[in-house]
Amino acid sequence: MLNFFKSSPPAYQNLTPAQFAEARRRPGTVLLDVRRPDEFAGGHLPGAINIDVTAPDYAQRAAALDKTRPTYVYCRSGARSAKAAEQLTKAGFANVANMLGGVLDWSEPLER
């Protein structure tokens, strides 16, 4: 019997902070912080760009990114970035990864 309520796995990868740290160093990657601008200003991963996933223009701003480049997404705890990663994959981004635990679990220094 088929289970119609079973959810399919995400089309993006979930990475631990250690896996995320290694993967984001690969050439050509986009590092996307989807927190609010005030959270971003308080400290973010080096090289990250900020597009707030809760902002009304999120989809428009995200669509301007290169869909062919690996895109690594994070937030404070991993919840908003999972939502953003799902939206990016639905929008046609080929290689998307979400950082589990967000900056709360990040052990490297943040940039201000």
Side-chain angles (χ1 to χ4, degrees):
M1 177 180 216
L2 293 174
N3 183 352
F4 292 104
F5 299 104
K6 186 176 180 182
S7 62
S8 58
Y12 57 88
Q13 296 179 56
N14 280 311
L15 303 177
T16 65
Q19 292 169 319
F20 194 89
E22 183 179 323
R24 74 178 180 91
R25 290 185 179 99
R26 294 183 188 134
T29 61
V30 174
L31 185 58
L32 181 59
D33 183 322
V34 296
R35 298 176 298 157
R36 295 184 321 267
D38 62 307
E39 292 175 292
F40 183 81
H44 56 273
L45 276 63
I49 59 171
N50 181 223
I51 303 177
D52 180 358
V53 71
T54 64
D57 64 346
Y58 169 76
Q60 179 183 7
R61 292 183 61 202
L65 299 173
D66 185 344
K67 293 179 182 183
T68 64
R69 292 175 61 188
T71 304
Y72 295 90
V73 187
Y74 73 94
C75 65
R76 180 179 173 271
S77 68
R80 286 176 285 178
S81 57
K83 176 183 169 183
E86 184 176 341
Q87 291 175 353
L88 292 170
T89 56
K90 286 180 179 177
F93 283 73
N95 184 355
V96 179
N98 171 51
M99 182 169 66
L100 297 169
V103 294
L104 290 176
D105 289 349
W106 186 253
S107 61
E108 296 181 26
L110 296 176
E111 193 174 83
R112 295 191 193 277

